[in-house]
Amino acid sequence: MKKLIKPSRLEWITFFVLMPVIDVATLYIMFNERLWHDAKLWLYAFWIGYAIGLITFFINVTAMHWLQQKMPELKQTLKRVTLIVLSHSVITFIAFGFVFLMYNKLHLFGFYAANGQFQFAVLIVLAMVMLTTTLWESEFIYKRYKESIIEKETMQQMNIQQEFETLKNQVNPHFLFNCFNTLSSLINEDKIQAEKFLNELSKVYRYLLRNNEDGFSTLQDELHFIQSYFLLLKTRHGDAIQLQIEEDKKYSNYLLPSLSLQLLVENAVKHNIVSKQHPLMIDIFCLTGNKLAVNNNLQPKKIKSPSTKIGLANIQSKYDLLKHSGFEILRDAKNFTVVLPLIWNNNTGKEFSFIQKQNKLQTNN
């Protein structure tokens, strides 16, 4: 009940501004010009009316808050406003009627009711009450509108977070499956190399588990990771695969989707011939305009490997969720290039703080 009768700042302001006006107007209707000459009316009658007005104010606010809690939705506005106006009118009519009757019956301060006096006073008071009711309800509707916008944005962020979780769950099995295939082949070919490969794989997978939690990593971390991942590829393919990285230090702290480089390199190996006679050349370099390019020479396998189409779609989906443009896939007769936008931390911090908090909450739960 305490919450129901606690007036807001606007409600208090309207009471302190309009109650003296209502009080003076009512006394003038009742006592006419005598109001300006009789000190008793100011010393006693004014404050009696003010006290009764304060009680009426609390009753009106309590009734309004109760109705707002029972019917808080914007679609219920018409019904809510109708009931609030009706309740305020009845409460005010009863309160003012009691005051008028008390003054008339007891002849307080020499008051005797005249014809039409009560009706006119009631109209004035109800007009003031309707004004305050309109202001109070407008404040409530505005607050509910802001809350609905926040709720909508929160739901959108939750949907984004869920989609990111789905995308990350696609990456991990895909990556692990390909590594196990490589390891299986190496065990039959070279057990020592297989052991080295397994050690490198454990390092790589530790990074994957650590950095894939938030969905995005810095360019510096991704380049360090891809170098470790490339050692796994070199273990099996030797000189048949080459990697060249041209890093621009000014982009080191920019962000890109975690494991993007690994997915692109993996796709290049999967869909192209990798041999000493035809080595696969992969180049990673920065472009002007906060972009990173991953390029490989195009030498498609004659027998195409089955594709789940997870890699490129996964990366593009992450950029789409962020509504960040600039992701491109370029292809000509000799080269296949993917351009990744690099995202400055300040542009994504607010957008991903919610996702990160949700991830942590889910982990804790």
Side-chain angles (χ1 to χ4, degrees), residues 176-291:
L176 196 57
F177 175 79
N178 281 277
C179 286
F180 281 159
N181 274 347
T182 303
L183 181 60
S184 176
S185 300
L186 283 176
I187 288 173
N188 295 327
E189 297 173 7
D190 190 332
K191 291 185 178 181
I192 296 177
Q193 284 294 90
E195 185 177 350
K196 291 180 180 179
F197 181 90
L198 186 58
N199 289 334
E200 291 298 328
L201 176 59
S202 65
K203 295 177 185 178
V204 167
Y205 207 74
R206 275 198 300 271
Y207 174 89
L208 185 150
L209 293 174
R210 184 175 68 251
N211 286 68
N212 203 30
E213 288 182 358
D214 295 334
F216 278 70
S217 302
T218 65
L219 175 60
Q220 184 178 38
D221 287 343
E222 279 291 293
L223 290 178
H224 287 165
F225 168 71
I226 201 61
Q227 289 171 336
S228 297
Y229 176 72
F230 182 69
L231 291 176
L232 301 182
L233 298 176
K234 288 288 284 185
T235 301
R236 178 169 185 181
H237 299 288
D239 293 334
I241 184 170
Q242 302 293 329
L243 174 66
Q244 182 173 339
I245 298 175
E246 296 178 12
E247 182 180 0
D248 190 336
K249 295 294 183 181
K250 71 179 181 181
Y251 294 122
S252 294
N253 291 321
Y254 279 64
L255 301 176
L256 69 161
S258 295
L259 307 176
S260 296
L261 301 185
Q262 181 266 323
L263 285 170
L264 295 177
V265 171
E266 184 178 25
N267 274 357
V269 174
K270 183 177 181 180
H271 297 295
N272 289 279
I273 295 171
V274 182
S275 66
K276 290 183 178 179
Q277 294 78 20
H278 302 282
L280 179 64
M281 310 295 295
I282 301 174
D283 296 306
I284 300 175
F285 52 93
C286 293
L287 300 172
T288 56
N290 305 345
K291 294 180 180 179

Side-chain angles (χ1 to χ4, degrees), residues 5 14 17 24 39 82 94 96 104 107 134 139 141 202 206 211 227 247 252 278 306 355-356:
I5 63 172
T14 53
V17 170
V24 171
T82 301
I94 292 173
F96 187 78
N104 191 46
H107 303 300
T134 301
E139 180 190 36
I141 292 173
S202 65
R206 275 198 300 271
N211 286 68
Q227 289 171 336
E247 182 180 0
S252 294
H278 302 282
I355 294 173
Q356 293 171 1

Side-chain angles (χ1 to χ4, degrees), residues 304-344:
K304 293 185 178 181
S305 302
S307 176
T308 58
K309 298 183 179 179
I310 287 177
L312 292 174
N314 185 291
I315 299 169
Q316 185 163 15
S317 294
K318 289 182 178 180
Y319 281 112
D320 289 344
L321 288 172
L322 261 186
K323 297 181 180 177
H324 201 291
S325 61
F327 178 82
E328 291 183 89
I329 300 174
L330 307 174
R331 178 173 180 160
D332 58 29
K334 296 183 178 180
N335 292 280
F336 182 85
T337 306
V338 176
V339 179
L340 302 173
L342 298 175
I343 309 166
W344 176 236

Side-chain angles (χ1 to χ4, degrees), residues 41-173:
L41 296 179
W42 292 99
L43 291 174
Y44 302 109
F46 178 85
W47 294 109
I48 290 173
Y50 202 90
I52 294 174
L54 182 62
I55 295 170
T56 306
F57 166 75
F58 268 102
I59 296 173
N60 278 336
V61 168
T62 300
M64 182 180 67
H65 286 192
W66 184 81
L67 288 170
Q68 287 173 344
Q69 285 192 355
K70 290 294 182 181
M71 293 174 284
E73 302 299 327
L74 292 175
K75 63 183 179 181
Q76 298 172 308
T77 297
L78 181 60
K79 183 179 180 181
R80 182 179 63 250
V81 170
T82 301
L83 291 175
I84 289 174
V85 169
L86 183 62
S87 65
H88 283 188
S89 299
V90 171
I91 292 167
T92 303
F93 181 84
I94 292 173
F96 187 78
F98 168 76
V99 173
F100 203 89
L101 184 64
M102 179 183 67
Y103 270 78
N104 191 46
K105 287 291 184 182
L106 301 177
H107 303 300
L108 293 177
F109 308 106
F111 174 74
Y112 291 87
N115 289 335
Q117 207 173 31
F118 176 74
Q119 292 86 338
F120 182 61
V122 166
L123 288 176
I124 296 296
V125 173
L126 286 178
M128 294 290 185
V129 170
M130 291 304 102
L131 175 61
T132 59
T133 301
T134 301
L135 290 172
W136 297 344
E137 181 61 18
S138 297
E139 180 190 36
F140 176 78
I141 292 173
Y142 177 67
K143 286 181 179 178
R144 284 298 300 145
Y145 176 75
K146 287 203 303 184
E147 288 172 4
S148 67
I149 294 297
I150 293 172
E151 288 171 2
K152 184 178 179 181
E153 290 177 350
T154 300
M155 289 300 298
Q156 288 175 343
Q157 291 283 14
M158 290 180 68
N159 289 335
I160 289 174
Q161 189 268 334
Q162 290 172 355
E163 289 185 55
F164 262 82
E165 288 301 312
T166 301
L167 292 173
K168 289 189 294 182
N169 290 335
Q170 288 177 338
V171 171
N172 292 352

Side-chain angles (χ1 to χ4, degrees), residues 27 33-47 109:
L27 290 175
E33 294 297 326
R34 183 183 157 198
L35 175 64
W36 314 120
H37 309 294
D38 193 338
K40 289 182 180 180
L41 296 179
W42 292 99
L43 291 174
Y44 302 109
F46 178 85
W47 294 109
F109 308 106

